Amino acid sequence: MAKWYLVYLAQSHPGFRKAELESIADLLDIEASFESHDMDHPFMTVLLEDDEQAMKLAQRSIFVRGVYELWGEGSDLDSLHADVKSKSSHYWPDYMTCSFKFDLVGYQGKRNRKDQVQLFESFAYLAFEGPIKMKQPDQIFTILEEYHVVGREPAATPDRMWLGRQVALGQREFKLLENYHLKNRSYTSTTSFEAELSLITCNIAQAAPGKLLYDPFTGTGSFLVAAAYFGALCFGSDIDIRVLRGKDSKSIKTNFKQYGKGYLLGDVLTMDFTHDAFRKSLRMDTIVCDPPYGIREGVKVCGAKNEDRFVGKESVLVDGQLAHTRRDYIQPKKPYELDALLDDLLQFASERLPVGGRLCFWMPTENDAQQESRIPQHHNLELRYNLVQSFDKWARRLLCYVKRDDDYVGTTLTKDQRTVKNNFRVRYFQGFNKQPST
Amino acid sequence: MKFLTTNFVRCAIKSCDGAVNSFPLKYSEIELVQEEQDFQPEFILGILPRLDWPAILKVAADLGNTSLPSQLPEIDINDPSNEILLKDLHTLLIETQLVQGKMICENCNHVYHIKDSIPNFLLPPHLAN
Ligand SMILES: C[S@@+](CC[C@H](N)C(=O)[O-])C[C@H]1O[C@@H](n2cnc3c(N)ncnc32)[C@H](O)[C@@H]1O
Ligand SMILES: [Zn+2]
């Protein structure tokens, strides 16, 4: 029978948490509802089938700090004790003889040593007879507290308290984010995407062992490395050969090696996404990317900006060889419209994803009300999540689409139908003051 | 470029889309290197359903390997005798690197290059516009 667990979540990007937890539950067949999730609080109670499911969730989530079998909750210590006594006494007999310790987790507040000891001793009625072990006890009973902040100081007493038996801690408690932090990674550049949100993106994209993940705008491969952490086979492409090649013998490949995931790097290919070379029958289970928004450089595709200048060039010979087939030939690039590229991306995803497969990509936008009209839509793709990360003057959104079968008729919103264009670059440099020209 | 990837790519030119002989590409003047990778039997097993086996045979033949079975055998991971086959596939698909050479579309004869292990599918203007 399902039971209640307390889930302790990191407060780093609360707007992304519910989507992450739901995506993991869906991927791993964990039956759970996260409807009670509240962005303003790090603790939530969730009904889960058993400890195994709780462990799976903790193991996979980037947000989860810990999952605890819930023994009681209250607004102060007295009400906590009353709740523990009335709700959890059926759990007690199982833990009579095992080794154990008590632990305290305070969110935005803490207690001094003496206070802590007193707090732990107040649970003496549990009457556990096993030895207390500070290192690697069989069980850890944790008191969790949430304080609010008054001015800059924590309030004197917590608003809410819980007692739980620790089932699992999340990977972020074991230096996952430090290990994957860009500053600790062998190959990065200015386009690299921060580790925590890359990992979260790949969780929402449901990267997993046995799946193939493709990033069409790979750059330094931030999403590929994150997807490999979750065990997916990774393919990437980029129009810029230099970024794929790396520098000072550092590259995407050395990043994969650094994390012990070399075998999961399929390949990175030099390719213009609008002229991709993947055979149509190749199933791509999930697509993740950060398209070129051209903050530093505009969107580019293969081709000649001024076609007249290239008339006849296709038959130019160099040393008896067609120039454009030589190894050292450099393919010219021309500018392309971002909105067209986004439409191409959705079309591609609708053709290559299996039903249920996900497309997740980031899109910078400013903080204004016209957002929705700018989000591309495809009739075979259901927009499942539209999550915002806000900065000072701008924001970026993680859009997650799920491929549906042919019976599904969703909204279509192509570039010509979008009322406001995503000329983010122009608007970025104008400081978002003016209304966009459409 | 891993041997595996030869099974996933075809000519990037739009007019070759759907042409039977635009996949697999023809591999010529290829420099090969064996690069050791962790052997993960489950991982190899997971890749097999994605493969186009006739294309594997063709590219392997381009590269001088004609010893592959004409049909991909059924593989049961619990049968230890399959370990050898999985290991062979691992060596071929994951450890065999195409470092330099040409990839040619047999439909339109366009030549693509592999440069320092990275295949280049960028198109010249008259084939991209
Ligand atoms: C925002 S960056 C992505 C950065 C990447 N997430 C990383 O970890 O470094 C966008 C990338 O798209 C590439 N790009 C631009 N136009 C492209 C095209 N037509 N096809 C493929 N890649 C393209 C750029 O070279 C750039 O590396
Ligand atoms: Zn061709």
Side-chain angles (χ1 to χ4, degrees):
Chain A
M1 215 189 60
K3 43 184 186 171
W4 286 102
Y5 290 83
L6 180 70
V7 181
Y8 177 30
L9 299 165
Q11 209 55 32
S12 48
H13 301 283
F16 291 69
R17 291 192 313 207
K18 188 161 170 267
E20 196 227 27
L21 296 169
E22 285 175 351
S23 301
I24 295 169
D26 179 52
L27 175 70
L28 302 179
D29 286 322
I30 298 171
E31 208 161 305
S33 156
F34 302 99
E35 285 316 312
S36 69
H37 176 265
D38 180 343
M39 291 216 280
D40 297 329
H41 299 282
F43 298 104
M44 73 182 295
T45 48
V46 178
L47 205 53
L48 294 171
E49 197 47 43
D50 53 25
D51 286 7
E52 199 190 315
Q53 304 258 301
M55 280 179 210
K56 279 199 213 164
L57 190 66
Q59 168 65 30
R60 174 87 201 207
S61 170
I62 301 304
F63 286 114
V64 168
R65 304 189 63 167
V67 181
Y68 307 84
E69 180 183 74
L70 186 62
W71 283 29
E73 62 187 302
S75 54
D76 55 24
L77 189 54
D78 288 343
S79 60
L80 172 61
H81 282 314
D83 202 45
V84 169
K85 285 173 191 163
S86 83
K87 292 216 189 102
S88 74
S89 54
H90 61 292
Y91 288 142
W92 305 355
D94 285 349
Y95 304 102
M96 276 304 141
T97 56
C98 65
S99 65
F100 72 99
K101 74 168 177 180
F102 273 92
D103 206 353
L104 176 65
V105 167
Y107 176 73
Q108 289 182 357
K110 51 179 182 238
R111 292 176 187 260
N112 63 32
R113 215 40 242 144
K114 198 171 131 243
D115 232 26
Q116 267 188 40
V117 174
Q118 258 182 18
L119 179 66
F120 296 164
E121 282 173 355
S122 72
F123 288 91
Y125 57 86
L126 294 171
F128 294 152
E129 290 157 9
I132 295 179
K133 260 175 85 178
M134 296 322 277
K135 281 202 181 124
Q136 302 196 315
D138 294 331
Q139 298 293 338
I140 300 174
F141 298 94
T142 309
I143 297 142
L144 303 104
E145 305 185 302
E146 181 171 354
Y147 293 77
H148 68 268
V149 177
V150 190
R152 303 183 68 178
E153 293 296 312
T157 54
D159 300 330
R160 200 116 203 106
M161 300 177 74
W162 296 264
L163 174 69
R165 182 180 60 83
Q166 180 183 307
V167 176
L169 298 180
Q171 290 303 310
R172 66 188 295 132
E173 302 300 310
F174 303 101
K175 297 210 176 328
L176 171 67
L177 299 182
E178 287 80 350
N179 291 341
Y180 276 80
H181 199 285
L182 294 179
K183 68 174 196 289
N184 298 324
R185 193 174 299 172
S186 124
Y187 175 55
T188 59
S189 85
T190 52
T191 65
S192 300
F193 205 95
E194 61 142 297
E196 185 175 14
L197 280 172
S198 298
L199 289 161
I200 289 162
T201 305
C202 288
N203 249 340
I204 293 174
Q206 301 182 321
K211 288 195 185 181
L212 189 157
L213 177 139
Y214 173 48
D215 177 350
F217 310 106
T218 299
T220 57
S222 313
F223 293 124
L224 298 187
V225 154
Y229 167 76
F230 293 117
L233 169 62
C234 299
F235 278 83
S237 65
D238 201 288
I239 199 169
D240 182 357
I241 190 167
R242 292 161 309 172
V243 75
L244 298 181
R245 198 178 274 152
K247 59 169 186 244
D248 308 331
S249 45
K250 290 172 179 171
S251 63
I252 295 172
K253 198 165 166 176
T254 60
N255 286 347
F256 271 70
K257 286 216 177 104
Q258 174 183 347
Y259 296 117
K261 303 287 180 189
Y263 69 100
L264 289 174
L265 177 59
D267 262 306
V268 289
L269 323 175
T270 315
M271 183 185 287
D272 166 7
F273 176 65
T274 67
H275 291 94
D276 85 282
F278 289 106
R279 72 170 149 92
K280 280 243 163 78
S281 52
L282 174 66
R283 194 182 78 218
M284 295 179 169
D285 300 288
T286 174
I287 299 172
V288 174
C289 61
D290 182 20
Y293 289 98
I295 295 177
R296 288 180 188 83
E297 239 184 288
V299 182
K300 293 265 161 60
V301 296
C302 285
K305 190 171 174 182
N306 185 342
E307 284 187 46
D308 296 346
R309 281 185 43 214
F310 282 84
V311 171
K313 289 234 170 133
E314 64 268 24
S315 39
V316 170
L317 296 177
V318 176
D319 290 343
Q321 255 185 339
L322 283 171
H324 67 265
T325 65
R326 287 168 63 88
R327 188 177 185 277
D328 56 4
Y329 174 81
I330 295 175
Q331 295 78 7
K333 316 283 186 307
K334 66 177 181 187
Y336 191 61
E337 216 185 323
L338 171 61
D339 272 288
L341 190 71
L342 296 181
D343 284 355
D344 295 344
L345 180 59
L346 267 64
Q347 182 58 33
F348 181 90
S350 78
E351 290 170 13
R352 311 294 175 111
L353 291 173
V355 170
R358 294 187 173 194
L359 161 69
C360 288
F361 69 91
W362 286 84
M363 180 167 126
T365 46
E366 62 251 62
N367 294 309
D368 74 6
Q370 286 170 320
Q371 281 328 318
E372 304 305 322
S373 60
R374 246 177 241 144
I375 289 169
Q377 299 250 37
H378 185 285
H379 64 275
N380 268 155
L381 301 173
E382 180 192 344
L383 181 63
R384 182 73 177 79
Y385 297 112
N386 171 358
L387 309 167
V388 190
Q389 182 192 21
S390 290
F391 298 97
D392 218 14
K393 283 243 168 76
W394 63 295
R396 61 182 175 190
R397 280 159 194 269
L398 174 59
L399 303 176
C400 171
Y401 303 81
V402 181
K403 166 73 190 289
R404 295 301 181 204
D405 61 20
D406 288 337
D407 294 338
Y408 177 85
V409 183
T411 322
T412 307
L413 204 62
T414 61
K415 72 185 175 81
D416 301 322
Q417 297 156 325
R418 293 200 281 277
T419 50
V420 190
K421 303 242 168 179
N422 286 303
N423 45 358
F424 184 77
R425 184 177 188 223
V426 175
R427 296 162 68 70
Y428 185 88
F429 287 116
Q430 286 171 345
F432 300 117
N433 296 324
K434 298 186 201 124
Q435 274 307 301
S437 52
T438 48
Chain B
M1 181 185 188
K2 292 192 164 79
F3 185 95
L4 174 66
T5 305
T6 67
N7 204 251
F8 294 171
V9 290
R10 43 100 163 126
C11 182
I13 299 166
K14 296 260 195 269
S15 55
C16 284
D17 195 9
V20 196
N21 48 357
S22 69
F23 173 80
L25 297 166
K26 179 156 188 66
Y27 292 79
S28 126
E29 299 168 44
I30 299 290
E31 180 189 325
L32 292 176
V33 165
Q34 285 302 119
E35 199 172 295
E36 208 177 308
Q37 293 285 358
D38 292 348
F39 173 51
Q40 309 268 357
E42 306 248 347
F43 170 69
I44 301 296
L45 205 61
I47 286 178
L48 300 184
R50 262 178 239 278
L51 300 181
D52 179 316
W53 193 252
I56 295 274
L57 294 179
K58 181 165 182 304
V59 177
D62 282 354
L63 302 178
N65 176 349
T66 49
S67 66
L68 295 170
S70 63
Q71 300 251 305
L72 180 60
E74 291 275 325
I75 299 182
D76 171 4
I77 191 133
N78 298 314
D79 177 352
S81 66
N82 280 321
E83 170 108 356
I84 300 166
L85 180 58
L86 283 174
K87 193 123 204 194
D88 283 348
L89 286 167
H90 166 76
T91 306
L92 176 72
L93 299 172
I94 306 299
E95 295 191 320
T96 306
Q97 282 275 348
L98 289 67
V99 181
Q100 311 288 351
K102 294 180 179 172
M103 307 177 282
I104 301 155
C105 172
E106 292 186 296
N107 189 52
C108 71
N109 293 323
H110 186 65
V111 180
Y112 301 92
H113 292 271
I114 303 169
K115 301 186 188 186
D116 306 321
S117 296
I118 303 177
N120 183 343
F121 288 99
L122 300 183
L123 297 175
H126 69 282
L127 297 175
N129 279 350

